[in-house]
Amino acid sequence: MPAVEDLARRWWIRGRRIGSVERAGKFIDDVGFALLFPAPKPIAPSLWEAVADEDDEPFGSGMGENEQRVWTWKDELPRRGLAWYGAYLGGRGSFLSPALLAALYPGDGDLDDHERLDLSPAAHEIAAALAVEPLSSATLRQLLGDKNRYQRAIGELQKNLLVTTAGVQESSNGWPAALLTLTCEQFEVGNGTDHSAAALQYLDTMLTATPAELARAFRWPSAQARDLLDELADTGRAVADGNQYRPS
């Protein structure tokens, strides 16, 4: 396992705090992937930990300045094309850098990419609607007529990187609703996957990893994750130590 201090430096927990959406974009470009808020286990860096003071707990005193800042940026970063956002790493709200997104995106970058994936009818219905225009989460819930069905369908689409947020839309109840769009409308994707590059980014960010950890992060079969790490080791881009791998 890497030292806590090493991870803290790599994940921007040490040093100058992030105070702008532009620098938040640079953070995600650097680490490649990040959660919105930290998880119980250190499965990934988080934007919150790079923004707040080290000892701060999210929502420890309600919706404070830092909470409001990162909550706003989760919609603003993808709107500006600085980072993809959706439920991805461990099913939690996650950011991917444009480069990592392109390396992982499973389709051709077309509006009908969803048709070639094994998705539920509700997920296909949402994707087809978003192919016409971006829509708010409230509108999509009304389209399906069932909140739980909507949540499951959006989860499917985001797990497959097909949908992201693109800002917010004001609503009549005073709370803005997330505006959703197809990933291929917001980012340059579809030129083919590069799973070796994605595996190398994972190692560079996590400092060490097992095949099982890499497989969990990007939803790959364990055998594929091991083959990719072995390839990195064979080509001198990683070092293998038993079941652990680290960047060379």
Side-chain angles (χ1 to χ4, degrees), residues 25-26 33 43 59 66 68-69 85 91 105-106 146 154 159 164 169 172 176 206 208 213 224 228 232:
K26 291 179 181 178
F33 57 92
I43 62 169
F59 303 102
N66 286 329
Q68 183 65 52
R69 184 175 288 168
Y85 179 78
Y105 186 79
D146 182 280
I154 283 295
K159 179 176 71 174
T164 188
Q169 186 177 79
S172 56
M206 301 303 291
T208 68
E213 290 166 342
Q224 178 187 351
L228 286 164
L232 293 177

Side-chain angles (χ1 to χ4, degrees), residues 9-44:
R9 284 192 294 271
R10 182 68 190 92
W11 293 2
W12 293 37
I13 296 173
R14 300 280 190 272
R16 182 164 62 97
R17 303 293 79 202
I18 293 175
S20 69
V21 67
E22 292 82 9
R23 193 155 184 263
K26 291 179 181 178
F27 160 70
I28 295 162
D29 260 342
D30 181 42
V31 295
F33 57 92
L35 298 171
L36 179 61
F37 291 106
K41 293 181 180 180
I43 62 169

Side-chain angles (χ1 to χ4, degrees), residues 77-100:
L77 282 162
R79 188 186 74 80
R80 296 192 185 196
L82 297 174
W84 180 92
Y85 179 78
Y88 187 68
L89 297 165
R92 295 172 176 271
S94 312
F95 299 99
L96 298 180
S97 70
L100 183 58

